Amino acid sequence: MKKIVVLISGRGSNLRAVVEARIAQAEIVAVISNQANAQGLQWAAEQGLTTHVIEHSKFIDREEFDHTLIRLIDGYQPDLVLLAGFMRILSSEFCLHYAGKLINIHPSLLPSFPGLHTHERALESGCRLAGCTIHFVTPKLDGGPIIAQGAVPIFDHDTVETLAQRVLKIEHQLLPQVVNDFVSDRLEIKGNRVIRHSDATQDEEANLLN
Ligand code: GRF
């Protein structure tokens, strides 16, 4: 069983998608929010998950906050730390501390539109595709090795809300798949690329079909 700590700041719909996927080999050992009123936190508590709040506003600086967060997370000895809508930039120290086991979901097709307001920027740019990216986290903001991406069309009549909804749907499909791949040890980081190894049983099945 692989232990997962999930960090959220708000609604928590991606957390919910992961929990509801009931991934074998994955145990969510804690859900941590930097916002006391995060909707997702209440939902997690209702599911019987362990929850914590560490409010960033109560700390003098980012380092202090990150150190406290690290201490709390490390108490669980997780195999994976999942940023599922965690709206705080984490220090380089934090990112390096969890190198190779820190995963983020971002609502754009990176490397386009890192940072905030991704849907507004996608609409303004006139591009025809939007989507989400799930990636390993490095100190470069939204810049780590990409694990998976899902694309959706942008329609002429789209608003930020309709586009966000379409992207979110694909986030909910993709994130549980990536968590499943991670806990099944299928992901290998090679430089800036992530190789997905299919498991031996699947390979054998595929060979039989050929
Ligand atoms: C998602 O769009 C995710 O990509 C971004 O923040 C949003 C979180 O949504 N990082 P939710 O809290 O999971 O509903």
Side-chain angles (χ1 to χ4, degrees):
M1 195 60 97
K2 297 275 167 74
K3 291 194 259 179
I4 305 174
V5 169
V6 184
L7 270 52
I8 63 168
S9 297
R11 185 176 48 188
S13 67
N14 277 291
L15 162 70
R16 190 171 178 152
V18 172
V19 170
E20 289 180 347
R22 303 196 177 283
I23 301 162
Q25 304 301 326
E27 185 195 359
I28 296 178
V29 289
V31 176
I32 304 172
S33 173
N34 62 319
Q35 301 280 4
N37 59 358
Q39 243 180 291
L41 205 59
Q42 197 188 331
W43 181 83
E46 283 163 14
Q47 308 311 303
L49 295 170
T50 302
T51 60
H52 297 275
V53 177
I54 304 189
E55 283 178 289
H56 63 272
S57 52
K58 304 236 162 98
F59 292 82
I60 33 169
D61 56 23
R62 193 179 299 284
E63 276 64 39
E64 234 355 86
F65 171 71
D66 282 10
H67 283 158
T68 307
L69 201 52
I70 288 176
R71 273 199 299 276
L72 177 62
I73 295 172
D74 282 356
Y76 287 98
Q77 297 191 299
D79 300 285
L80 171 64
V81 179
L82 189 60
L83 307 178
F86 187 67
M87 304 306 284
R88 289 293 298 169
I89 293 177
L90 293 158
S91 60
S92 296
E93 188 192 341
F94 185 100
C95 298
L96 295 173
H97 185 75
Y98 297 109
K101 52 178 177 177
L102 183 59
I103 288 179
N104 180 45
I105 180 157
H106 180 78
S108 81
L109 291 171
L110 291 170
S112 292
F113 314 125
L116 296 173
H117 310 300
T118 54
H119 304 308
E120 286 93 324
R121 288 155 66 205
L123 287 173
E124 271 164 24
S125 78
C127 60
R128 307 305 326 203
L129 288 174
C132 68
T133 302
I134 301 171
H135 63 96
F136 282 107
V137 177
T138 62
K140 188 177 172 209
L141 180 69
D142 298 325
I146 291 173
I147 304 167
Q149 292 186 300
V152 297
I154 296 180
F155 298 121
D156 295 341
H157 56 263
D158 264 330
T159 61
V160 169
E161 290 70 31
T162 57
L163 181 57
Q165 235 174 14
R166 196 172 308 122
V167 172
L168 196 62
K169 214 166 156 188
I170 199 153
E171 292 185 35
H172 295 164
Q173 288 167 15
L174 220 49
L175 191 58
Q177 288 173 20
V178 166
V179 171
N180 187 36
D181 283 344
F182 183 91
V183 300
S184 312
D185 293 322
R186 289 198 190 122
L187 304 178
E188 183 192 353
I189 303 175
K190 277 195 173 171
N192 208 31
R193 294 180 68 92
V194 177
I195 313 295
R196 181 188 181 276
H197 299 283
S198 46
D199 70 29
T201 330
Q202 281 177 342
D203 285 346
E204 278 163 25
E205 278 169 10
N207 287 337
L208 284 175
L209 293 174
N210 287 333

